[in-house]
Amino acid sequence: AVAPAPEEVRPVGMHHAISDQWSFGVLFREIRALYQGIELPELNHQYGDFAAWQREWLQTDTMRASLAYWQEKLAGVKPLELPTDKPRPRMTTSHGRTIHAQLRPGLDETLQRLSRTLQVTPFAVMFAAYNVLLHRYARVTDIAVGVPIATRPHPALEQLIGSFLNVLVHRNDLSAASTFEELVAIVQDTALDASAHQAVPFERVVEVLDLPRDTSRLPLVQVLFNVANAPVPSDLLPGIQAEMLMLDRTAAQFELSLHVHGNAVFLEYNTDLFEDGTAERLLDEYCQLLEQVATNPQLPLAALRVASDTDRAQLAQWNATERAYRTDVTLVDLLVEQAERTPDAIAVSAPDGMYTYAQLLRRAQAIALELRGLGVAEGDRVAVVLPRGRDLPAALLGVLGSGAAYVPLDPHHPVSRLEYAL
């Protein structure tokens, strides 16, 4: 073989249908051996052997026990309802895009040290941060995320090139943790339990759970998390360096897929659901979460900041709504003034109709006059039992115009409750 010219880049790729990330390490080691004139040993097992073993294993009591674990673990799991920028299509799509970010130099080493201190894997630390991010957006504490794993249960399989990929569902309850450190411990325990039952194919789990089918979303899990930790040698040959390249895909298998590879972080997102700006903000917020927990894992989950400094400044600007209100007039006085300025403008709009400012004022004044005729005086309390509609604000303003205070009562409440309130 002719060695490539200096600085020349030659990409090598394999389709995911016949390989997984672990397979690249096997491929690189075999290429290096062949370039060095080393004869590759005969393989004692082939991918077909694994397929045959898996078919037999699916009929065993061990498989049934693992399947029972997943049935119990995932009972009652609900879809993760992330707020989307666009209406959800009736049929799930795979249109997607990938964006990249680099962690601060040295942050991955800091996270490695933190994981050793907490006696957990780096995966648990980084995955716990992803759970926090999803919790902040979905506003739920029951989080189910898909995690890919190379199911190679026998050492002989580690030398094979093939797709041994399976997706495990990691379901974590964030309400059981008050600090990030406690959440990491929960995530680690969940990962160990899931790994112990990793041989059950994802599609078999979906089948046995018999979840309600929804064409607008994927079954069981809608988001994915992956830490690329398969061993891939970088020193292919003297003078030839090798590295894993993450390609920008134009498809998205999940609504969100977050991949961590050393200091590089990739977010793959469905473009029929999320705008580019939202995806960029999500990725930036995840990196910020890692920065916070790397130095202080004892932080309460509620104290972890998700919004960036730019976003927080924007929120502060939006929330700067202080106004100097007049204190020399009543609400009814303000209605009179507004009715004089814009009598025909819409003041109230409801399913049962609308009132202009002039109409609302006349209606409120008529109610106030009627109440005073019934003996209502200043300081009295008047119960208002009305459904939401155009007459409710008119009635409230009419009570205020009579000098009384209104007591709103819901007409849908039981009569006994209304009588008790009265």
Side-chain angles (χ1 to χ4, degrees):
V2 179
E7 306 302 325
E8 184 177 349
V9 176
R10 291 189 177 180
V12 176
M14 292 190 295
H15 199 287
H16 214 338
I18 60 167
S19 65
D20 51 23
Q21 190 178 39
W22 186 279
S23 298
F24 272 97
V26 178
L27 175 67
F28 279 23
R29 286 191 293 272
E30 291 187 353
I31 290 176
R32 180 168 56 188
L34 292 172
Y35 264 92
Q36 294 173 340
I38 301 174
E39 184 176 353
L40 298 177
E42 287 291 330
L43 294 172
N44 295 324
H45 298 83
Q46 297 289 342
Y47 189 83
D49 298 323
F50 167 74
W53 168 85
Q54 187 179 56
R55 281 197 300 270
E56 294 175 1
W57 183 85
L58 289 174
Q59 308 303 319
T60 64
D61 290 339
T62 304
M63 189 284 296
R64 284 185 278 273
S66 288
L67 198 56
Y69 162 81
W70 289 115
Q71 286 180 283
E72 180 181 356
K73 179 68 176 179
L74 302 178
V77 67
K78 292 182 172 58
L80 192 64
E81 294 283 358
L82 293 169
T84 60
D85 298 311
K86 306 172 185 179
R88 183 177 295 276
R90 293 180 61 185
M91 297 292 294
T92 305
T93 68
S94 59
H95 304 141
R97 191 170 294 128
T98 304
I99 56 175
H100 313 254
Q102 287 289 329
L103 299 178
R104 171 181 54 80
L107 180 57
D108 60 332
E109 288 88 352
T110 303
L111 294 172
Q112 295 274 354
R113 288 194 298 271
L114 173 62
S115 65
R116 289 193 291 271
T117 301
L118 300 180
Q119 296 183 326
V120 298
T121 61
F123 165 86
V125 174
M126 292 182 282
F127 187 35
Y130 190 46
N131 275 263
V132 173
L133 183 65
L134 294 173
H135 158 66
R136 292 293 180 85
Y137 274 85
R139 295 296 178 184
V140 294
T141 56
D142 184 4
I143 308 290
V145 181
V147 176
I149 185 172
T151 53
R152 296 173 185 254
H154 193 278
L157 299 178
E158 295 179 1
Q159 306 306 316
L160 292 182
I161 292 176
S163 181
F164 295 84
L165 193 66
N166 192 20
V167 175
L168 304 182
V169 182
H170 289 224
R171 186 182 187 184
N172 292 297
D173 180 10
L174 274 68
S175 67
S178 58
T179 67
F180 183 78
E181 184 175 357
E182 292 175 359
L183 177 59
V184 170
I186 292 173
V187 167
Q188 176 78 358
D189 289 342
T190 299
L192 291 174
D193 288 344
S195 181
H197 303 280
Q198 63 178 277
V200 182
F202 176 80
E203 56 271 18
R204 186 74 181 91
V205 176
V206 173
E207 177 185 345
V208 76
L209 288 176
D210 193 24
L211 300 169
R213 291 308 175 98
D214 182 354
T215 59
S216 69
R217 67 182 77 242
L218 295 171
L220 199 51
V221 290
Q222 294 74 48
V223 296
L224 182 121
F225 180 78
N226 180 40
V227 174
N229 54 9
V232 178
S234 59
D235 54 336
L236 187 58
L237 283 172
I240 300 179
Q241 295 297 313
E243 62 176 319
M244 289 286 291
L245 299 177
M246 298 294 288
L247 302 180
D248 291 341
R249 299 178 0 128
T250 57
Q253 293 177 298
F254 294 82
E255 295 180 14
L256 293 176
S257 298
L258 189 67
H259 303 264
V260 181
H261 191 283
N263 260 342
V265 187
F266 310 86
L267 180 65
E268 180 183 284
Y269 58 99
N270 188 303
T271 52
D272 287 330
L273 297 175
F274 302 102
E275 299 283 359
D276 296 347
T278 299
E280 291 167 0
R281 186 169 65 251
L282 280 164
L283 189 55
D284 179 58
E285 290 167 351
Y286 176 72
C287 295
Q288 288 204 47
L289 280 172
L290 290 181
E291 287 280 4
Q292 294 174 66
V293 301
T295 55
N296 191 358
Q298 289 80 30
L299 275 173
L301 295 182
L304 291 171
R305 281 179 29 186
V306 172
S308 65
D309 293 338
T310 302
D311 288 339
R312 292 171 72 86
Q314 180 67 75
L315 288 171
Q317 180 181 345
W318 285 340
N319 287 327
T321 57
E322 296 87 354
R323 297 292 184 273
Y325 289 101
R326 295 169 58 186
T327 58
D328 59 331
V329 292
T330 66
L331 187 59
V332 177
D333 293 333
L334 293 174
L335 174 60
V336 172
E337 293 179 6
Q338 188 65 36
E340 291 176 351
R341 286 194 298 269
T342 59
D344 298 324
I346 301 300
V348 177
S349 179
D352 60 344
M354 59 182 61
Y355 283 137
T356 65
Y357 279 101
Q359 291 170 334
L360 178 61
L361 178 60
R362 287 196 297 270
R363 183 73 169 138
Q365 288 175 334
I367 293 172
L369 185 62
E370 181 72 17
L371 290 174
R372 283 195 292 268
L374 293 172
V376 173
E378 184 176 346
D380 286 345
R381 287 163 292 177
V382 177
V384 178
V385 190
L386 282 176
R388 291 180 180 271
R390 66 174 184 172
D391 278 324
L392 181 57
L396 301 182
L397 288 165
V399 172
L400 295 177
S402 71
Y406 61 80
V407 180
L409 299 176
D410 191 335
H412 296 101
H413 284 172
V415 174
S416 58
R417 178 179 176 83
L418 296 178
E419 291 176 345
Y420 174 79
L422 291 172

